[in-house]
Amino acid sequence: MKRLFLLLLIVFATTVSAMAQIDSEEEPIPPPRKSFGPKFGGGAGFTQNLVFLDIGPINQILTANKFAPFNGNGLFMMGGQGYGYILLVPNLRVGGMGGSGTRTSTSYSLADHTRRDLELSAGFGGATIDYVFPVFPRFDIATGIFLGFGGMSFTLRRDDNTQKLWGTEWQQLGGNDSVYNVTTKLSGSFFVVQPNVNFEFAVLRWLGLRVGVGYMGMFGNNWKVDDNYDLLGVPDNVSAKGWMINGGIFLGTFIY
């Protein structure tokens, strides 16, 4: 009886070992984990930026001088960007970017029948350096910095809201009487540094989308009146710096 039990145990163990060996031979070998190669190629596209300005100091100046203040602090900018991977450093790319935007306000005084218009413009342009981290086959995170120059300007207009005649306009500027129709431009130039983080998704191998966040810092200032005369005494807190949200649509080479 003991010999029969031992024989059955040996047969069972041999059968189980053989079945396990057959299963291991038939089981497919899992594919190796996909690794991301270095990025290459490049792209170019249309960008949109929403900059959240420190609008408080600007509105204080407008209100004190009978101009209408701005509602909200967002300045929408449109522009473009192009870039290419340099290949010497994997996943590092360089390029250029620029954008500009405008806001306006209008006030009308019943006391002196005077209309006052303000146009606030800001823009920037320069070079970009980004390092790209592949996360998924279609999804990347890019961190980088923009270095360049930018500026902002205030175009001020005061008008007496009457008909304009050729001769009258010349007489106002050539005579000694008060001038009621005036346009003045106050413009400042700055050095711009903008660190940013972008999330990029390849819809197709030639079409990509982007959304990101950054901070537009402006340093130094050089202000002019009508692009000819130096303007002194401009408050330091009057600039187009601030946090920004950006988006973009790009055409190029997107490998995944």
Side-chain angles (χ1 to χ4, degrees):
M1 189 68 178
K2 291 182 178 180
R3 291 181 179 179
L4 180 60
F5 177 79
L6 181 60
L7 179 61
L8 292 176
L9 184 60
I10 293 173
V11 172
F12 176 77
T14 304
T15 303
V16 170
S17 176
M19 291 298 295
Q21 185 176 0
I22 293 173
D23 290 342
S24 64
E25 291 176 353
E26 293 180 352
E27 183 179 358
I29 300 175
R33 183 179 180 273
K34 182 177 180 180
S35 61
F36 295 100
K39 310 288 288 186
F40 67 92
F46 170 66
T47 60
Q48 312 89 44
N49 305 278
L50 180 61
V51 184
F52 297 97
L53 305 176
D54 185 6
I55 206 71
I58 297 174
N59 277 344
Q60 290 180 2
I61 297 172
L62 299 183
T63 303
N65 293 278
K66 301 181 181 179
F67 285 88
F70 291 114
N71 296 321
N73 61 347
L75 175 63
F76 185 70
M77 294 184 176
M78 294 187 294
Q81 180 180 0
Y83 61 82
Y85 291 92
I86 63 174
L87 301 181
L88 296 177
V89 179
N91 299 340
L92 186 70
R93 68 191 187 196
V94 297
M97 181 174 66
S100 62
T102 301
R103 290 193 64 176
T104 60
S105 73
T106 299
S107 67
Y108 184 77
S109 174
L110 295 176
D112 54 8
H113 304 286
T114 300
R115 171 174 171 163
R116 293 176 174 85
D117 298 295
L118 172 68
E119 182 179 283
L120 167 61
S121 299
F124 61 91
T128 60
I129 304 174
D130 301 300
Y131 189 84
V132 179
F133 297 90
V135 181
F136 302 113
R138 292 175 180 260
F139 179 69
D140 299 328
I141 297 178
T143 62
I145 192 168
F146 165 88
L147 300 172
F149 295 93
M152 69 182 304
S153 65
F154 299 91
T155 302
L156 315 173
R157 300 184 183 91
R158 189 189 71 186
D159 183 74
D160 61 358
N161 208 32
T162 59
Q163 276 191 326
K164 307 299 182 291
L165 300 176
W166 172 267
T168 304
E169 296 300 311
W170 284 96
Q171 290 173 8
Q172 283 196 59
L173 295 174
N176 297 321
D177 297 333
S178 299
V179 179
Y180 293 98
N181 307 312
V182 180
T183 299
T184 299
K185 182 179 179 182
L186 312 178
S187 55
S189 57
F190 302 84
F191 178 67
V192 179
V193 178
Q194 181 199 124
N196 54 73
V197 178
N198 293 305
F199 305 92
E200 302 176 347
F201 181 75
V203 181
L204 301 169
R205 295 188 184 275
W206 52 270
L207 177 64
L209 301 179
R210 169 195 292 175
V211 63
V213 62
Y215 183 83
M216 180 179 290
M218 290 190 167
F219 304 93
N221 60 75
N222 180 25
W223 286 85
K224 298 283 187 180
V225 178
D226 295 331
D227 297 324
N228 287 312
Y229 311 104
D230 291 335
L231 179 62
L232 305 178
V234 181
D236 292 336
N237 54 7
V238 175
S239 73
K241 64 182 179 182
W243 289 98
M244 62 185 298
I245 299 174
N246 69 81
I249 302 174
F250 289 83
L251 304 178
T253 304
F254 308 103
I255 303 300
Y256 51 84

